[in-house]
């Protein structure tokens, strides 16, 4: 018999390890930036070409490496940061596994120049697919510069797997922003394809946030500050009235390391409860400082998910501190429900929380001469384009005259459009589901998804049926974006023009909108653009090649009524009618279940 087990050569082992550490250019960027931070640098420059696929370069003024260390750095499990296993419990550096450089060097062509202050000459090393090809002395400044070229040059499958440049760039920007927020005391800059995306001088945290996300952030921030024996919490939360329909900026850092933790995220959301409408998202930049022994950063190779020894206590501290900060800031209800119903400012008396209605004005029809549309009709005032256009308009005007939807029963008999109005006895559960009996089954419909479906089909039909007419705005709107979002938006501009936006670049990180598609309510303009960007970030939108589908989807989702909206029985009736007139009533445009039918057999099973 022959033995079959053998040790893998280092180059192969490194390539395999690289699969975990370096998934995409952004992961290499993160590791290199973290190494520079660990080296004590206070000036770091990041240079990227072709979304990191051709070049990632990081130059720092940190402590540099000796000749031997520079060579050692590329060995697997070579680290200066820990010596024994216990050390990882007191770790204060970003890295400690000693895997990053070895992994990067296994899948790219790397050039390293490094010099320590007391050295006359620095070291230059070139390494390709784990093999050192050059090592010599060189002239270089104090600190370290690394160039990573042609990532995955030797693994075509991985290279082909990478997403389009602007998606990969987005990932890099995410990593850069996280490091920039965690280390406001470090001057960071970022050059992308020869063009400066960020230049962030040393600053206090608040100024750093503003430098990263744009000037408009300054007025939005409320400080959070709390010190307890378990942890110190500091940072900022966004004022409730600036909460957005899209997720936006949500950052947790534990000991200056960006982390994700759904449980702690919920703690923040709970503190905002009652202050913002539940489909809005608060922004936050929260820093936890705690004994490194009380957290375990070792559970995930890319180290964004960490475990806390006493998660419950951390949750409570965050929730109460954020609540406290919101209380201190003492928001007075300055927003007028009449003019903008989309925000729910802090009500003075929590008992009397008033959930603002959502004004969805998708009933607008370019071919409709009745331009004086009422915005204060029902939350579900649409279907003007449907076959029953005329009767529906009558219906709508009747609805407008109704003093209060709750009294509908008394008024029903007087309605002139009685035949249109055939209540099928819908009940609403949790302001979320519409329930009725249908052909002997119990039919349950998800209201938000149903509405998304209806809007989507209607929008798509309009978008596809013609070149989309654009409605010129009386006052062109300037909308500014965070630099990173703006980069993402730029390639979308031609698509937006195709779908009826008259939109142009305007100065730094700003667009000017002269006109919008006729079917779009201008009040929703910003929300639709933000939703579009959000979808780009989540890579959702790219699954569809069809720009019009993409637009219709973003618009439908951002303007559909949401879970939590109470509906009258007429509204439910009408919505269900329209749902069943759709081509695909049973799934939402983003692929979720809209209708569940429980037959008697299924009910029988539940009673077994
Ligand atoms: P880790 O960061 O987990 O120790 P890496 O592979 O990222 O592992 O780096 C290996 C070692 O190389 C580090 O421990 C550090 O000593 C050295 N090193 C890497 N990058 C730098 C840098 N920019 N400046 C100084 N030393 C560095
Ligand atoms: Mg490292």
């Amino acid at each position: 018999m022959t033995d079959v087990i053998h040790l893998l050569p280092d180059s192969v082992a490194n390539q395999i390890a690289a699969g975990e550490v370096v998934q995409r250019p952004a992961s290499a960027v993160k590791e290199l930036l973290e190494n520079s931070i660990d080296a004590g640098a206070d000036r770091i420059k990041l240079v990227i070409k072709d979304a990191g696929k051709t070049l990632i370069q990081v130059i720092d003024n940190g402590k540099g490496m000796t000749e031997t260390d520079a060579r050692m750095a590329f060995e697997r499990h070579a680290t200066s940061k820990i010596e024994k296993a216990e050390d990882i419990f007191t770790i204060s550096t970003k890295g400690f596994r000693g895997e990053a450089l070895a992994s990067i060097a296994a899948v790219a062509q790397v050039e390293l120049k490094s010099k320590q202050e007391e050295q006359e000459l620095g070291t230059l090393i070139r390494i390709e697919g784990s093999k050192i090809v050059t090592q010599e002395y060189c002239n270089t400044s104090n600190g370290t510069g690394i160039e990573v070229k042609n990532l995955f040059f030797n693994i075509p499958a991985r290279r082909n797997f990478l997403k389009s440049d602007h998606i990969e760039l987005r990932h890099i920007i995410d990593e850069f922003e996280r490091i920039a927020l965690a280390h406001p005391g470090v001057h960071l800059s970022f050059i992308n394809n020869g063009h400066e995306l960020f230049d962030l001088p040393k600053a206090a945290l608040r100024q750093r946030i503003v430098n990263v996300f744009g000037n408009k952030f300054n007025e939005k921030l409320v400080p959070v500050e709390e010190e307890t024996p378990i942890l110190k919490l500091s940072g900022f939360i966004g004022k409730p009235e600036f909460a957005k329909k899209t997720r936006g900026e949500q950052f947790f850092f534990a000991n200056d390391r960006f982390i994700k933790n759904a449980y702690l995220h919920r703690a923040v959301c709970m503190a905002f409860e009652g202050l913002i409408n539940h489909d809005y998202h608060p922004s936050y930049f929260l820093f936890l400082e705690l004994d490194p022994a009380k957290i375990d950063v070792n559970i995930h190779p890319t180290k964004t998910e960490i475990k806390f020894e006493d998660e419950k206590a951390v949750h409570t501290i965050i929730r109460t501190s954020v609540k406290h900060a919101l209380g201190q800031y003492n928001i007075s209800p300055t927003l007028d429900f009449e003019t903008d119903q989309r925000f729910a400012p802090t009500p003075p008396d929590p008992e009397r929380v008033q959930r603002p209605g959502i004004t969805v004005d998708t009933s607008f029809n370019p071919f409709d001469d009745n331009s004086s549309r009422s915005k204060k009709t029902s939350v579900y005032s649409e279907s003007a384009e449907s076959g029953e256009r005329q009767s529906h308009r009558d219906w709508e005007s009747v609805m407008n005259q109704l003093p209060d939807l709750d009294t509908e029963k008394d008024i029903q008999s007087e309605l002139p459009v009685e035949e249109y109005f055939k209540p099928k006895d819908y009940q609403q559960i949790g302001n979320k589901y519409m329930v009725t009996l249908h052909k002997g089954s119990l039919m349950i419909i998800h209201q938000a998804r149903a509405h998304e479906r209806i809007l989507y089909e209607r929008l798509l039909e309009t978008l596809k049926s013609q070149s989309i007419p654009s409605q010129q705005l009386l006052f062109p709107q300037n909308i500014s974006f965070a630099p990173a979002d703006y980069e993402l938006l730029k390639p979308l501009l031609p698509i937006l023009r195709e779908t009826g936006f008259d939109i142009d670049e305007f100065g730094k990180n700003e667009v000017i909108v002269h006109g919008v598609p006729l079917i779009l309510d201008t009040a929703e303009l910003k929300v639709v653009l933000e939703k579009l960007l959000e979808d780009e970030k989540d890579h959702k939108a790219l699954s569809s090649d069809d720009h019009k589908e993409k637009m219709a989807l973003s618009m439908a989702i951002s303007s559909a009524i949401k879970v939590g909206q109470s509906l009258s029985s007429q509204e439910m009736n009408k919505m269900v009618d329209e749902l069943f007139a759709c081509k695909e009533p049973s799934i939402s445009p983003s692929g979720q279940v809209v209708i569940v039918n429980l037959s008697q057999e299924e009910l029988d099973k539940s009673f077994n």
Side-chain angles (χ1 to χ4, degrees):
M1 262 192 278
T2 41
D3 296 331
V4 289
I5 300 179
H6 55 92
L7 283 175
L8 290 175
D10 273 356
S11 57
V12 178
N14 285 341
Q15 252 192 39
I16 295 169
E20 258 191 69
V21 183
V22 193
Q23 287 124 358
R24 54 178 5 133
S27 5
V29 168
K30 170 178 188 274
E31 294 294 339
L32 297 177
L33 291 176
E34 289 188 346
N35 278 347
S36 298
I37 300 276
D38 284 347
D42 68 354
R43 176 79 181 92
I44 305 174
K45 188 171 165 187
L46 168 66
V47 180
I48 296 289
K49 285 213 177 90
D50 306 320
K53 293 171 185 172
T54 324
L55 174 75
I56 299 167
Q57 184 180 21
V58 173
I59 304 159
D60 70 47
N61 66 351
K63 64 174 183 247
M65 285 178 258
T66 65
E67 200 186 332
T68 324
D69 280 352
R71 204 183 166 103
M72 273 291 282
F74 291 101
E75 298 284 332
R76 204 140 67 93
H77 307 306
T79 179
S80 54
K81 300 169 193 173
I82 58 170
E83 283 178 4
K84 39 191 192 318
E86 303 90 272
D87 291 349
I88 67 168
F89 298 112
T90 52
I91 194 87
S92 62
T93 54
K94 309 273 158 205
F96 60 83
R97 293 162 179 263
E99 277 179 334
L101 289 186
S103 300
I104 293 170
V107 294
Q109 294 149 348
V110 177
E111 183 178 300
L112 170 114
K113 281 183 188 171
S114 192
K115 184 174 100 63
Q116 299 197 311
E117 204 174 346
E118 51 285 0
Q119 293 176 308
E120 183 100 353
L121 283 174
T123 310
L124 164 77
I125 289 181
R126 288 199 191 94
I127 184 165
E128 238 174 67
S130 294
K131 289 187 189 59
I132 294 194
V133 290
T134 316
Q135 173 162 8
E136 57 198 36
Y137 292 111
C138 71
N139 268 312
T140 183
S141 44
N142 295 338
T144 304
I146 298 195
E147 283 181 31
V148 176
K149 289 184 192 153
N150 304 319
L151 193 65
F152 301 132
F153 78 101
N154 51 356
I155 320 181
R158 291 293 294 278
R159 204 176 162 83
N160 295 337
F161 192 68
L162 293 176
K163 297 271 172 38
S164 67
D165 279 8
H166 76 279
I167 295 229
E168 293 300 340
L169 177 63
R170 179 66 232 178
H171 283 286
I172 294 173
I173 291 172
D174 282 345
E175 295 295 352
F176 180 87
E177 286 178 353
R178 292 166 183 175
I179 303 255
L181 292 170
H183 300 280
V186 176
H187 183 166
L188 281 156
S189 50
F190 183 171
I191 317 266
N192 172 51
N193 286 337
H195 154 82
E196 185 179 89
L197 262 189
F198 293 93
D199 183 37
L200 310 171
K202 286 187 196 190
L205 177 62
R206 189 183 192 112
Q207 184 63 46
R208 173 58 53 104
I209 295 173
V210 168
N211 289 346
V212 173
F213 295 109
N215 266 331
K216 59 183 194 299
F217 250 86
N218 200 15
E219 55 165 334
K220 298 183 183 176
L221 300 173
V222 180
V224 178
E225 203 74 66
E226 208 78 60
E227 208 163 341
T228 77
I230 307 179
L231 66 85
K232 189 170 169 276
L233 178 71
S234 62
F236 295 91
I237 47 174
K239 292 180 188 171
E241 65 264 38
F242 292 105
K244 292 197 292 191
K245 266 192 177 175
T246 51
R247 235 164 214 287
E249 293 74 28
Q250 301 180 330
F251 296 89
F252 268 123
F253 300 89
N255 295 345
D256 295 338
R257 185 198 293 278
F258 171 79
I259 61 161
K260 282 182 191 156
N261 187 310
Y263 181 63
L264 300 187
H265 167 75
R266 277 201 300 279
V268 179
C269 294
M270 280 166 80
F272 272 88
E273 234 159 58
L275 297 176
I276 57 178
N277 219 342
H278 78 284
D279 54 321
Y280 279 71
H281 303 276
S283 42
Y284 55 83
F285 308 85
L286 293 173
F287 289 72
L288 313 169
E289 262 172 72
L290 64 176
D291 180 354
K294 300 238 183 285
I295 53 180
D296 179 3
V297 291
N298 204 16
I299 59 170
H300 196 272
T302 52
K303 295 175 287 201
T304 53
E305 270 129 49
I306 68 165
K307 273 207 306 237
F308 293 86
E309 195 179 276
D310 194 352
E311 207 162 45
K312 259 207 167 113
V314 179
H315 182 281
T316 310
I317 294 167
I318 291 179
R319 184 168 40 84
T320 46
S321 312
V322 171
K323 254 208 151 95
H324 182 75
L326 285 167
Q328 295 246 304
Y329 153 66
N330 193 15
I331 320 118
S332 51
T334 47
L335 281 166
D336 182 358
F337 278 96
E338 290 299 306
T339 54
D340 191 343
Q341 304 202 355
R342 284 168 303 140
F343 296 115
T346 330
D349 174 3
E351 297 300 325
R352 295 174 51 221
V353 173
Q354 210 181 334
R355 198 172 285 291
I358 298 172
T359 45
V360 181
D361 193 5
T362 42
S363 63
F364 182 62
N365 179 343
F367 312 108
D368 185 347
D369 51 2
N370 176 10
S371 55
S372 63
R373 291 168 290 150
S374 161
K375 288 216 163 201
K376 298 202 80 239
T377 57
S378 137
V379 290
Y380 187 63
S381 56
E382 53 183 317
S383 107
E385 289 109 311
S386 75
E388 296 123 332
R389 190 185 302 172
Q390 196 49 49
S391 70
H392 175 59
R393 195 161 315 130
D394 295 342
W395 167 242
E396 222 177 15
S397 66
V398 173
M399 286 279 285
N400 291 341
Q401 287 154 23
L402 292 182
D404 181 348
L405 292 179
D406 289 336
T407 60
E408 69 194 51
K409 283 207 182 74
D410 312 329
I411 301 170
Q412 256 174 45
S413 52
E414 300 157 27
L415 289 176
V417 281
E418 234 176 316
E419 75 290 354
Y420 180 76
F421 177 45
K422 298 184 205 95
K424 288 180 197 123
D425 214 15
Y426 289 98
Q427 302 289 327
Q428 208 184 6
I429 300 184
N431 290 342
K432 181 171 182 184
Y433 300 107
M434 302 181 286
V435 181
T436 193
L437 288 177
H438 178 67
K439 295 186 183 156
S441 295
L442 183 61
M443 184 171 72
I444 307 165
I445 299 175
H446 192 290
Q447 68 184 46
R449 294 176 189 173
H451 197 205
E452 281 170 16
R453 164 56 62 186
I454 297 166
L455 292 182
Y456 175 73
E457 291 202 2
R458 188 172 302 156
L459 285 162
L460 193 60
E461 198 180 318
T462 318
L463 287 176
K464 281 193 165 164
S465 63
Q466 60 233 303
S467 69
I468 292 104
S470 156
Q471 155 187 232
Q472 290 296 304
L473 301 177
L474 205 49
F475 304 102
Q477 272 192 44
N478 287 25
I479 304 181
S480 64
F481 292 89
D485 285 347
Y486 190 67
E487 278 311 299
L488 202 60
L489 183 67
K490 273 197 295 193
L492 297 178
L493 293 180
I495 305 168
L496 286 166
R497 286 185 199 116
E498 226 177 89
T499 49
F501 282 89
D502 184 351
I503 187 169
D504 281 306
E505 292 185 42
F506 187 82
K508 213 179 171 199
N509 304 326
E510 222 175 290
V511 292
I512 183 158
V513 184
H514 295 283
V516 298
L518 267 173
I519 46 173
L520 183 69
D521 176 7
T522 52
E524 296 283 347
L525 176 57
K526 186 142 202 234
V527 178
V528 168
L529 293 180
E530 277 171 359
K531 173 75 185 129
L532 207 64
L533 286 173
E534 195 81 358
D535 287 349
E536 287 290 307
K537 287 181 207 168
D538 296 345
H539 329 308
K540 269 195 255 152
L542 256 91
S543 60
S544 156
D545 289 337
D546 189 320
H547 303 320
K548 293 182 177 168
E549 279 174 21
K550 203 193 276 194
M551 281 302 299
L553 184 65
S554 289
M555 287 189 204
I557 292 177
S558 50
S559 42
I561 65 150
K562 296 293 183 296
V563 164
Q565 181 69 56
S566 122
L567 298 172
S568 73
S569 82
Q570 294 110 307
E571 288 169 327
M572 290 194 270
N573 228 345
K574 187 154 90 67
M575 194 182 320
V576 176
D577 278 353
E578 290 180 8
L579 178 66
F580 283 108
C582 286
K583 287 189 197 116
E584 279 196 75
S586 55
I587 63 165
S588 78
S590 39
Q592 291 165 307
V593 175
V594 177
I595 306 167
V596 169
N597 265 310
L598 289 179
S599 65
Q600 192 187 331
E601 281 148 39
E602 280 157 312
L603 289 173
D604 286 345
K605 272 187 221 147
S606 317
F607 287 94
N608 268 335

